[in-house]
């Protein structure tokens, strides 16, 4: 089983961005923690980050035929990324949307996700452990 772990705009700045909201782990550290759990579960994880919606879509289109599920933190694209949403639909893979911070406890514009309606589910506000939980759920369900 292969899971795509996708991070959207600005998530390359983790540990430098507002650590009270996003935690103090770097993206590399988070990817390593997810991959460590994946190894225990016998799952392969391919991690990818981009600041560009088009590059995220190119990655999904290229990798979805070889994958079984997607974990995605779309960053701010969560709130307006319709092209990203369509690429996720076209992948025909189960998608779990993850947010480090609780988007419902923040500004009102963050309360709407255009990804959530097409996702298997959403995890919001549980920090990097949300990515690990999403992996465990996909591994159990697929
Ligand atoms: C985020 C929440 C988004 O609203 C924000 O734009 C991000 C990070 C999160 O992980 O909490 O970049 O997706």
């Amino acid at each position: 089983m292969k899971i795509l772990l996708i991070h959207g705009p600005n998530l390359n700045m983790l540990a430098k961005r507002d650590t009270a909201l996003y935690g103090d782990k770097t993206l590399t550290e988070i990817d390593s923690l997810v991959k460590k759990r994946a190894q225990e579960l016998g799952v392969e994880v391919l991690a990818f980050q981009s600041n560009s919606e088009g590059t995220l879509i190119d990655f999904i289109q290229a990798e979805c035929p070889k994958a079984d599920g997607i974990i995605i933190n779309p960053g701010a694209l969560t709130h307006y990324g319709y092209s990203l949403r369509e690429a996720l639909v076209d992948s025909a893979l189960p998608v779990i949307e993850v947010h480090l911070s609780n988007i419902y406890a923040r500004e009102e514009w963050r309360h709407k996700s255009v990804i959530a309606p097409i996702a298997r589910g959403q995890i919001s506000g549980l920090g990097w452990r949300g990515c690990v939980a999403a992996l465990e759920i996909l591994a159990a369900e697929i």
Side-chain angles (χ1 to χ4, degrees), residues 58-72:
D58 288 343
F59 176 79
I60 292 165
Q61 289 177 355
E63 295 300 331
C64 73
K66 299 166 261 171
D68 302 291
I70 296 176
I71 300 166
I72 185 163

Side-chain angles (χ1 to χ4, degrees), residues 101-115:
S101 66
N102 180 352
I103 58 174
Y104 302 100
R106 300 181 63 192
E107 303 96 318
E108 198 155 343
W109 62 268
R110 293 185 202 270
H111 297 183
K112 183 182 173 197
S113 166
V114 302
I115 307 298

Side-chain angles (χ1 to χ4, degrees), residues 30-101:
I30 293 175
D31 285 345
S32 297
L33 287 159
V34 176
K35 285 179 183 171
K36 183 169 166 266
R37 183 70 184 121
Q39 215 165 15
E40 292 163 6
L41 295 168
V43 175
E44 186 187 345
V45 167
L46 180 60
F48 183 73
Q49 188 276 334
S50 176
N51 291 324
S52 148
E53 186 169 9
T55 306
L56 293 168
I57 292 168
D58 288 343
F59 176 79
I60 292 165
Q61 289 177 355
E63 295 300 331
C64 73
K66 299 166 261 171
D68 302 291
I70 296 176
I71 300 166
I72 185 163
N73 182 344
L77 291 170
T78 302
H79 314 298
Y80 62 90
Y82 288 101
S83 302
L84 178 62
R85 169 184 162 142
E86 290 188 333
L88 292 168
V89 170
D90 291 347
S91 78
L93 294 173
V95 173
I96 298 187
E97 175 187 344
V98 175
H99 299 285
L100 298 160
S101 66

